[in-house]
Amino acid sequence: MKKRDIIAVFLILLLFLSGCQEKVEEDVRGYEGRTFYEIFVRAFKDSDGDGIGDIKGVTESLDYLEELGVGGLWLMPINSSPSYHGYDVTDYYSINSEYGNLEDFKELLQEADKRDIMIIMDLVINHTSSEHPWFKEASTSPDSEYRDYYIFTEDESKKYEASPMGGGSPWAKSTLREEYYYALFWSGMPDLNLDNEELRKEFKEIAKYYLELGVDGFRLDAAKWIYNDIEDNLRWWKEFNSYVKEINPEAVLVGEVWDNIRGMEPYAEVLDSFFVFSMGEDIINGLKWSNLSVLGEKLADSHKKLKEKNPDFVPAPFLSNHDQNRIMNQLVNIDKYKAAAVIYLTLPGTPYIYYGEEIGMSGKKPDERIREPFLWSTDFKKNTQWIDITNDSSIALENQMEQEDSLFNLYKTIINLRKNNPELSLGEIEALDHDHKSVYAVERAYKGSKAYIFVSLSDDESELNIEKGSYNVLYSNVNDYESLKTEGKLNLKSGEILIIKKAD
Ligand code: CA
């Protein structure tokens, strides 16, 4: 073999090995640090022209989601259900026929996997539909084996009991017999009795079924309401989580524990992740009142408190979901909207985007209005038709893709920065000390490398102290520059959003 050939072989081998190295790192990319995207399937993308969003529609949208930088999807309920939203399940093993079938779902799982997009699905364990065969049988025959799956009483005084959620009695009158059943959210959704061992087994089997199909985990609806007693709740989730990890150690359980940070904290020891409602509220309130000086500290504290509870726990910051008025209606102002996006998408943990948020869709309650068809196109026939659209057609994705300074392009830029800079996704967070009321400033440090995020709502330039040296500019909304050098002071322009990374 000639010397030249030996060198060529050596180089090819080196290339091959570095390729393997990259592959390994890619394979171990876990849940933490990704950006997730919440999808209401009915409203997202229609693949067969019947006007209803479906699973094939989600599969067809994967290229879009990949371009956006998304690393995971949360699918709102896809099981059979008589309601439009699906949170009242009638069969945990079947796919809502309006959304497609099991083959469609398998195809979605495979296609998402090819793009390294994780998929978690909503799992509703607190209650079923009153149309579920278990409940139908339990409410007609007291001797049924399913009777104990629910909570019945003949005690009429229960109708005066206050709900633990606040408001009227959680007991609903049976239409079949002289009795009441417990239904915390709505009479159409009777609560399940998880004290029943058979029922516990049922849900473990259901989880196993979907995990073996390739689902990466579950979003746990109403996770704090399985029992009214927190200790019982924690015991159940611990048991369920251990079971899930036996099936797939990498699977994630993401809880809906809608509470203040104190109320959420204990769940960090039994769940892998949950939505940190208070972080979104802190960001929105800070921006509403242009009071950002303590926001960095608040967010860093929340994150650290949860990590102290359990170092493996992954907080999931978000701005709003399918139960809350959309961010556009809460913040109104587009500059504040952009600031909110940058702040939460550069937090540690795993942020969740609510579909349509990246194009600035608006909507306030009733619920249907915050779940409008995703606006792919100004031509409404190209969007789902499940409900009429009240959003302004000019914000359609196809328009925003063409506009360099659009909200969509900001989301895409920031999410991809997050994806490509571990400082922004996995780094430690510290608030920077300063006395500018309308400035947000945090440091993110990962394996000795540091990045900084600044957001100014001030009308003036703000001077901030920062480590002397050279920085690469990852993003600025006011200046077009690739790097900057400081002698220890940084001048943040009025209204500037700036993300920089230490170069040396
Ligand atoms: Ca359809």
Side-chain angles (χ1 to χ4, degrees), residues 55-326:
I55 290 170
K56 272 188 184 293
V58 177
T59 309
E60 284 174 8
S61 310
L62 287 172
D63 288 343
Y64 164 67
L65 294 163
E66 190 178 25
E67 179 187 345
L68 186 59
V70 161
L73 305 180
W74 154 21
L75 301 180
M76 281 166 64
I78 56 168
N79 295 129
S80 299
S81 162
S83 72
Y84 83 88
H85 51 74
Y87 281 99
D88 46 343
V89 175
T90 48
D91 180 3
Y92 289 94
Y93 289 99
S94 68
I95 304 292
N96 186 328
S97 58
E98 288 181 306
Y99 291 176
N101 56 37
L102 192 64
E103 289 311 308
D104 298 341
F105 189 46
K106 283 185 187 163
E107 188 193 9
L108 170 61
L109 293 172
Q110 281 164 7
E111 290 301 316
D113 197 48
K114 281 184 199 165
R115 294 165 174 83
D116 189 30
I117 293 177
M118 293 172 74
I119 291 196
I120 64 170
M121 60 186 279
D122 234 304
L123 183 61
V124 190
I125 296 184
N126 183 66
H127 49 261
T128 65
S129 165
S130 54
E131 301 291 310
H132 193 291
W134 295 341
F135 187 72
K136 283 207 224 161
E137 197 181 309
S139 49
T140 46
S141 20
D143 298 331
S144 158
E145 57 179 310
Y146 299 120
R147 182 75 174 173
D148 191 45
Y149 276 25
Y150 298 89
I151 308 150
F152 291 94
T153 180
E154 289 177 359
D155 180 358
E156 219 178 305
S157 71
K158 290 287 188 189
K159 67 182 177 192
Y160 303 112
E161 199 175 280
S163 166
M165 292 174 89
S169 174
W171 294 89
K173 179 109 174 40
S174 166
T175 52
L176 299 166
R177 295 159 42 85
E178 278 303 312
E179 62 185 9
Y180 294 83
Y181 60 90
Y182 194 73
L184 183 59
F185 290 91
W186 165 46
S187 60
M189 303 198 303
D191 277 55
L192 287 161
N193 170 27
L194 266 293
D195 276 341
N196 184 297
E197 275 305 319
E198 287 306 307
L199 183 59
R200 286 189 177 226
K201 272 187 218 155
E202 297 259 19
F203 276 109
K204 288 174 188 170
E205 284 302 312
I206 291 162
K208 184 175 179 219
Y209 175 77
Y210 286 105
L211 290 169
E212 286 179 350
L213 214 57
V215 166
D216 296 293
F218 304 99
R219 179 265 181 185
L220 307 167
D221 186 56
K224 67 171 259 196
W225 295 113
I226 306 301
Y227 291 94
N228 292 341
D229 181 271
I230 184 166
E231 294 307 321
D232 289 339
N233 258 334
L234 295 173
R235 244 192 313 277
W236 155 249
W237 288 125
K238 196 173 178 180
E239 178 184 325
F240 186 68
N241 205 353
S242 325
Y243 178 80
V244 161
K245 296 295 186 287
E246 279 173 31
I247 308 297
N248 176 4
E250 304 300 320
V252 285
L253 292 185
V254 189
E256 180 203 22
V257 187
W258 198 338
D259 209 326
N260 56 36
I261 192 85
R262 260 176 182 282
M264 285 184 271
E265 261 176 29
Y267 290 85
E269 289 177 299
V270 294
L271 300 175
D272 305 298
S273 180
F274 56 62
F275 309 105
V276 193
F277 284 82
S278 57
M279 282 181 162
E281 286 159 19
D282 287 341
I283 294 170
I284 291 162
N285 287 328
L287 289 167
K288 260 188 193 164
W289 308 108
S290 299
N291 191 356
L292 303 180
S293 53
V294 293
L295 179 62
E297 212 174 306
K298 265 191 186 171
L299 296 172
D301 278 354
S302 299
H303 180 81
K304 284 176 195 165
K305 264 187 196 152
L306 297 170
K307 281 285 187 189
E308 273 166 25
K309 276 273 169 196
N310 173 6
D312 295 328
F313 179 79
V314 181
F318 72 106
L319 294 177
S320 84
N321 67 21
H322 63 281
D323 286 324
Q324 299 167 309
N325 291 337
R326 280 189 178 270

Side-chain angles (χ1 to χ4, degrees), residues 64 358-361 374-380 383 391-403 406 408:
Y64 164 67
E358 76 276 31
I359 53 170
M361 281 177 66
F374 183 79
L375 276 176
W376 296 97
S377 172
T378 53
D379 177 0
F380 284 1
N383 305 317
N391 267 273
D392 178 358
S393 66
S394 70
I395 65 161
L397 178 68
E398 62 183 2
N399 283 357
Q400 293 201 35
M401 279 183 152
E402 307 299 318
Q403 300 153 1
S406 67
F408 161 74

Side-chain angles (χ1 to χ4, degrees), residues 488-504:
K489 301 274 184 209
L490 177 94
N491 285 316
L492 195 63
K493 301 267 182 304
S494 157
E496 183 166 16
I497 294 174
L498 177 68
I499 305 174
I500 55 175
K501 183 159 138 174
K502 197 98 194 320
D504 45 34

Side-chain angles (χ1 to χ4, degrees), residues 23-37:
K23 187 83 179 82
V24 168
E25 277 183 15
E26 223 172 77
D27 281 350
V28 296
R29 196 162 83 100
Y31 168 77
E32 186 162 21
R34 288 172 186 253
T35 304
F36 266 63
Y37 188 92

Side-chain angles (χ1 to χ4, degrees), residues 46-48 50 52-54 98:
D46 175 24
S47 72
D48 58 5
D50 69 353
I52 306 292
D54 43 51
E98 288 181 306

